[in-house]
Amino acid sequence: TILKESQFFVTWKNRLYAAWDKEFKIDVFDAKGDLVNTIRHPYKRLKVTEKMKKDVMDFFKTHPTLKNLITRFNIKIVFPGYLPALRALIVDDGKLYGITFDDTPNGTEVIVMNLDGSSPRKSYVKVEMQDALQPYPTVVKGGKIYQVIEKGEDWELVISSL
């Protein structure tokens, strides 16, 4: 099964933020490994569409390494009914940035909140995808999202304000 659940582990100031659930849920652990908080954000998960399935299958059929593995080992790709809540989780500047799968004409939804989950707000920015499954390398700093995008034989730095 692909797109089953998110698994992101990021650290910030002696805290581990673990998003390992299909829902918008982030567990916060202290330096001893003790659970100190669970952040939940209301989020309606999106259905996996036929276009998404086609894009993922096309990715696997054309990937130089994966296409041979799938054929050789007769791997069956199973799609869940719904996408996980988070595409990526980033912690920086004392904020949590939860990048969702909600792609709109205004950009991809990013939920920005304090480290304790308070004061959530939505922002929409263009998140460039490397392939059907993962975005290009993404960093957040100073309220801006940075991505390094491959353009043919060159690379381009894309900066968007959150």
Side-chain angles (χ1 to χ4, degrees):
T1 301
I2 60 167
L3 301 174
K4 184 170 71 174
E5 55 197 32
S6 303
Q7 293 186 351
F8 302 105
F9 303 93
V10 293
T11 59
W12 180 266
K13 297 194 177 184
N14 294 321
R15 294 281 193 254
L16 171 67
Y17 296 83
W20 48 13
D21 197 272
K22 55 190 168 201
E23 302 299 329
F24 199 120
K25 176 184 158 202
I26 303 165
D27 289 329
V28 184
F29 298 90
D30 65 15
K32 296 178 197 168
D34 295 326
L35 179 66
V36 294
N37 191 15
T38 296
I39 299 166
R40 296 179 191 277
H41 180 73
Y43 184 79
K44 185 177 179 190
R45 292 176 49 217
L46 303 172
K47 287 186 177 185
V48 174
T49 66
E50 290 304 316
K51 180 182 180 332
M52 290 175 191
K53 291 178 186 178
K54 181 186 179 317
D55 289 348
V56 169
M57 292 306 295
D58 288 347
F59 165 73
F60 281 117
K61 288 178 185 175
T62 58
H63 190 279
T65 305
L66 296 176
K67 69 179 179 183
N68 294 329
L69 288 173
I70 289 171
T71 304
R72 177 177 290 152
F73 296 105
N74 196 27
I75 296 172
K76 183 173 179 175
I77 297 174
V78 178
F79 293 91
Y82 292 85
L83 293 165
L86 292 172
R87 179 181 282 173
L89 177 67
I90 299 170
V91 180
D92 191 67
D93 296 331
K95 299 276 186 199
L96 288 167
Y97 300 87
I99 301 174
T100 74
F101 284 89
D102 191 3
D103 295 320
T104 73
N106 296 327
T108 298
E109 178 185 54
V110 180
I111 307 296
V112 182
M113 62 181 71
N114 294 328
L115 295 176
D116 62 0
S118 65
S119 303
R121 68 174 175 84
K122 292 181 183 181
S123 183
Y124 292 88
V125 296
K126 179 69 176 155
V127 175
E128 298 282 347
M129 297 297 291
Q130 185 171 320
D131 53 50
L133 296 175
Q134 60 188 356
Y136 278 104
T138 305
V139 174
V140 173
K141 196 76 177 162
K144 295 183 179 185
I145 188 166
Y146 296 82
Q147 280 194 293
V148 179
I149 311 299
E150 187 176 14
K151 298 283 185 179
E153 293 183 19
D154 296 324
W155 292 87
E156 178 183 332
L157 177 63
V158 177
I159 304 169
S160 304
S161 292
L162 287 164

